Amino acid sequence: MDRYSLHISPAPAAGSSPMTFDVPDLRTALIVAEINMASGVAEVWQKDRRLASVRRVNAERLPYWQVG
């Protein structure tokens, strides 16, 4: 079974430290990012391959994830 890691890099203004989580799947990665990330960028990795980066946009009104 494939395992993934989620790397959260908070925005510099947030003053938080980067975090890393091991997650079982991509859906769980987004849930963990939603819970732990107020701002910044999160990257989803599978071993040494980056699968996606996500950024929470418009958090104060109608938030959505921008995926790159």
Side-chain angles (χ1 to χ4, degrees):
M1 186 165 130
D2 290 330
R3 296 291 294 181
Y4 302 90
S5 60
L6 174 70
H7 301 261
I8 297 176
S9 300
S16 300
S17 298
M19 297 177 275
T20 301
F21 300 91
D22 290 326
V23 293
D25 54 44
L26 298 175
R27 180 185 317 185
T28 304
L30 287 177
I31 292 169
V32 171
E34 176 75 25
I35 292 168
N36 292 286
M37 190 174 137
S39 62
V41 175
E43 296 180 330
V44 180
W45 291 78
Q46 184 180 33
K47 297 183 181 171
D48 61 348
R49 183 174 145 225
R50 188 179 77 151
L51 301 177
S53 65
V54 294
R55 176 184 307 272
R56 200 167 175 185
V57 179
N58 204 17
E60 59 281 341
R61 296 187 68 210
L62 296 171
Y64 62 94
W65 291 104
Q66 181 180 30
V67 179

